[in-house]
């Protein structure tokens, strides 16, 4: 009996020695070490003080904390970025980085959104993982946790997908619309699918940078159908040539109104002798009607704009999204100089509005101000308000209007 035990021990020692001297071992160990210390690994660059759902969430749900919700949504967008990077770097299921960004929150990947032009992954649908939650004694979904989340990434400056990403960036810059993109239709179909399956109140759409532009327009397209989903948009683009043209049209309209206010009333001739050179009242009203419609303020809306209030997260040092904080045309803005977990600010006007969260850290480099990682950093101080700026109204009305 003793001899048999010694033989087994020797056999184990011999197997261990054989593995240790195997030429494949150093490579395998080095690979695992690299993956463990990868800069995009969840435990390296992810949030520090965010707990996974547990049985306590059945009593007091973490999802009711706006800070927690913002952090998780930003993590889901990071997962969308990493799905594409995992694809480009041919990572296996065991070494993939993306799953680590949704597994801690008890979600699972149900769909990847593919751009048929280059095969890149530009988004994903994550659904509540009931089985994983049950394993940690979370027998029901915590209050406030969505059943499904559509996450859309922004631009990746790598050769395999950079061309299509920049193509859509330029599309928004030129037209302030992404409806002509392949990605718009794919994202809209995915959002419609989960909204009809789970109900719009149980679905959320999130995006960063270019992805936030898609999320805003896809969310609004779904709102035309009367389906209002929760939306969290990080660093959404706010600069475009179309916006500049609308501003020019608006200024021209103001100048024309001032000019007309200096002219005689409509029932009096412009010139004392005859009708030569008289300006037709119809032409005046026609121009007045044309100018507002040029920037989307003279078209009937198919739904009540106040029913859909997206969450916009902007950094005032980020020149891509900073125009959302422009004071021009603001009808109401009540700021809360505290952390995000404050009571809601009520909007009493009838204009379309968004819940705006602004980070102000003074002058920052663009990479920091536009980065996604800032939105899950610890002790984040934000100013929050229900915001009805001219830009937000234009964004909402132009997409809600009947065409």
């Amino acid at each position: 009996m003793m001899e048999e035990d010694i033989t087994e021990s020797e056999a184990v020692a011999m197997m261990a020695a054989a593995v240790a001297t195997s030429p494949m071992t150093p490579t395998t160990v080095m690979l695992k070490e690299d993956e463990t210390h990868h800069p995009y690994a969840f435990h390296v660059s992810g949030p520090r003080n965010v707990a996974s759902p547990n049985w306590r969430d059945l009593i007091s749900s973490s999802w009711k904390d706006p800070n927690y919700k913002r952090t998780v949504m930003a993590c889901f967008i990071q997962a969308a970025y990493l799905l594409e990077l995992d694809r480009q770097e041919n990572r296996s299921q065991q070494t993939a980085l993306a799953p680590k960004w949704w597994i801690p929150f008890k979600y699972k990947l149900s769909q990847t959104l593919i751009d048929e032009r280059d095969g890149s992954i530009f988004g994903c649908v994550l659904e509540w993982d009931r089985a994983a939650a049950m394993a940690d004694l979370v027998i029901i979904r915590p209050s406030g946790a969505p059943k499904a989340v559509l996450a859309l990434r922004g631009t990746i400056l790598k050769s395999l997908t950079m061309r299509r990403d920049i193509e859509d960036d330029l599309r928004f810059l030129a037209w302030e619309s992404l409806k002509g993109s392949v990605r718009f239709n794919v994202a809209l179909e995915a959002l419609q699918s989960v909204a009809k399956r789970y109900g719009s109140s149980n679905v959320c759409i999130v995006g960063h940078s270019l992805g936030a532009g898609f999320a805003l327009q896809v969310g609004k397209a779904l709102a035309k159908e009367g389906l209002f989903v929760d939306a969290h948009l990080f660093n959404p683009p706010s600069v475009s040539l179309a916006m500049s043209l609308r501003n020019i049209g608006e200024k021209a309209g103001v100048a024309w109104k001032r000019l007309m206010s200096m002219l005689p009333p409509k029932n009096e001739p412009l010139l004392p002798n005859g009708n030569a050179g008289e300006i037709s009242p119809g032409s005046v009203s026609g121009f007045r009607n044309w100018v507002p419609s040029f920037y989307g303020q003279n078209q009937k809306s198919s739904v009540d704009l106040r029913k859909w209030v997206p969450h916009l997260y902007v950094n005032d040092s980020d020149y891509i999204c900073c125009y959302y904080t422009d004071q021009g045309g603001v009808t109401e803005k009540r700021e809360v100089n505290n952390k995000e977990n404050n009571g809601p600010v009520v909007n009493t006007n009838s204009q379309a509005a968004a819940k705006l969260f602004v980070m102000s850290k003074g002058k920052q480099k663009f990479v920091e101000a536009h980065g996604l990682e800032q939105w899950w950093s610890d002790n984040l101080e934000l100013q929050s308000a229900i915001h009805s700026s001219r830009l937000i109204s234009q964004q909402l009305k132009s997409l809600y209007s009947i065409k």
Side-chain angles (χ1 to χ4, degrees), residues 69-88:
K69 191 169 189 177
R70 182 199 68 245
T71 296
V72 177
M73 294 305 172
C75 288
F76 288 167
I77 300 170
Q78 180 73 348
Y81 275 104
L82 291 175
L83 280 170
E84 172 57 19
L85 292 180
D86 285 342
R87 183 192 74 88
Q88 292 186 16

Side-chain angles (χ1 to χ4, degrees), residues 104-363:
F105 307 109
K106 309 305 178 189
Y107 279 79
K108 61 183 179 181
L109 180 66
S110 66
Q111 181 184 355
T112 54
L113 276 57
I114 309 296
D115 187 329
E116 63 182 20
R117 297 171 296 182
D118 59 4
S120 63
I121 299 173
F122 68 91
C124 63
V125 176
L126 302 174
E127 296 182 357
W128 175 254
D129 190 345
R130 185 178 180 184
M134 291 285 287
D136 285 345
L137 303 180
V138 184
I139 57 177
I140 60 174
R141 182 171 49 89
S143 176
K147 290 184 177 179
V149 178
L150 172 60
L152 302 172
R153 65 167 177 83
T155 303
I156 296 179
L157 297 178
K158 289 198 172 185
S159 59
L160 294 178
T161 186
M162 180 171 61
R163 177 184 174 187
R164 298 306 181 188
D165 288 354
I166 293 180
E167 182 179 310
D168 285 332
D169 287 328
L170 295 176
R171 187 190 306 275
F172 183 88
L173 179 63
W175 305 108
E176 201 176 352
S177 175
L178 295 164
K179 291 185 178 182
S181 172
V182 171
R183 297 181 183 183
F184 178 87
N185 293 326
V186 174
L188 180 58
E189 290 175 5
L191 188 61
Q192 288 173 329
S193 176
V194 292
K196 291 177 181 178
R197 187 188 316 163
Y198 296 118
S200 59
S201 61
N202 295 313
V203 174
C204 182
I205 184 170
V206 298
H208 173 252
S209 190
L210 175 62
F214 275 109
L216 178 64
Q217 298 193 12
V218 168
K220 255 52 105 12
L222 195 67
K224 288 183 180 180
E225 304 174 12
L227 299 175
F228 302 94
V229 299
D230 192 20
H232 295 262
L233 315 175
F234 299 85
N235 302 89
S238 63
V239 181
S240 71
L241 296 178
M243 179 183 69
S244 300
L245 291 174
R246 281 200 302 268
N247 291 338
I248 293 173
E250 179 180 334
K251 291 177 181 178
V254 172
W256 181 264
K257 288 179 181 179
R258 288 179 180 177
L259 175 62
M260 295 307 299
S261 66
M262 300 170 63
L263 298 178
K266 294 181 180 180
N267 57 356
E268 296 182 11
L270 186 61
L271 299 176
N273 297 324
N275 296 327
E278 182 177 352
I279 297 178
S280 169
S283 64
V284 175
S285 61
F287 184 82
R288 286 175 173 172
N289 290 335
W290 174 82
V291 171
S293 65
F294 180 71
Y295 50 85
Q297 293 187 354
N298 194 40
Q299 300 185 29
K300 295 182 179 179
S301 175
S302 57
V303 293
D304 186 352
L305 303 183
R306 290 169 293 175
K307 289 182 179 180
W308 199 75
V309 182
H311 299 70
L312 273 60
Y313 303 88
V314 303
N315 187 316
D316 58 7
S317 295
D318 177 10
Y319 60 79
I320 288 181
C321 67
C322 64
Y323 287 97
Y324 279 106
T325 64
D326 185 9
Q327 296 296 314
V330 175
T331 55
E332 178 177 339
K333 181 182 180 183
R334 294 174 54 192
E335 292 186 347
V336 181
N337 294 309
N338 204 329
K339 292 187 178 180
E340 190 177 342
N341 52 351
N342 290 281
V345 183
V346 180
N347 181 35
T348 57
N349 60 54
S350 59
Q351 289 192 12
K355 190 163 188 178
L356 188 69
F357 299 93
V358 183
M359 178 188 291
S360 300
K361 281 190 173 182
K363 190 174 181 180

Side-chain angles (χ1 to χ4, degrees), residues 15-23 25-26:
M15 291 176 62
V19 171
T21 57
S22 171
T25 300

